[in-house]
Amino acid sequence: MVSSVVIVGGGTAGWMTASYLTAAFGDRVAVTLVESKNVPALGVGEATFSTIRHFFNYLGLDEREWMPECHGTYKTAVRFEGWREPGHVFYHPFERTGVVDGFPLTDWWVQKKPTGQFDGTPS
C-alpha cells in the first residue's frame, strides 16, 4: 500500500484533496501539500454547490458551524445573459430541484405565474 502522497499545488483542489486523503487514510498515509508562496490565487470564479456538504460531512465538519462563520451561500445556478437574443436571460440549475408533495419545486413555481426570471427578480 502507498505510505505517502505528495500533492503539488495548493488552491482549492489541492487543499480539498489533502483534507480528503487525510480523513480517508488517517495516519496510514502521510499527506504532504507543496505550494508556492510566490504564486497568487487565480480567482477563477469558483462556486460552491450545495453538494459540498457531503464532502464536509465526510471530513466531520458540521454545516451549522462553518457556514455562518464563512458568511457563505451555495451557488445554485448560473445566469446566461443574451441567451436567445439581447435582453433574454436563462438560468441553468446545477442540480435537480427539490420535491414537495411529489412535485418538483419548478412545477410549484410555474403555477405561481412567474415573472419570467427563475429567481423571481424583474427582467
Side-chain angles (χ1 to χ4, degrees):
M1 175 160 163
V2 173
S3 61
S4 64
V5 173
V6 175
I7 300 167
V8 179
T12 304
W15 282 102
M16 287 179 75
T17 301
S19 299
Y20 180 84
L21 291 174
T22 300
F25 296 106
D27 293 339
R28 296 182 313 240
V29 176
V31 177
T32 302
L33 185 135
V34 179
E35 67 179 345
S36 172
K37 63 181 178 181
N38 298 322
V39 177
L42 295 177
V44 295
E46 295 170 343
T48 305
F49 301 169
S50 65
T51 53
I52 197 157
R53 69 184 178 274
H54 303 299
F55 174 75
F56 285 141
N57 283 341
Y58 185 78
L59 298 180
L61 301 173
D62 187 338
E63 179 182 73
R64 293 169 295 185
E65 292 179 16
W66 62 262
M67 183 65 94
E69 291 297 319
C70 295
H71 304 285
T73 61
Y74 292 123
K75 185 173 183 176
T76 58
V78 64
R79 176 181 165 133
F80 294 98
E81 296 190 18
W83 183 253
R84 291 186 182 151
E85 60 192 36
H88 180 260
V89 175
F90 171 72
Y91 282 89
H92 174 70
F94 292 136
E95 57 188 85
R96 291 182 180 159
T97 57
V99 176
V100 175
D101 293 334
F103 296 96
L105 290 175
T106 50
D107 289 358
W108 292 98
W109 177 76
V110 168
Q111 291 301 316
K112 289 285 199 181
K113 308 287 188 242
T115 62
Q117 302 289 86
F118 189 75
D119 65 357
T121 58
S123 299

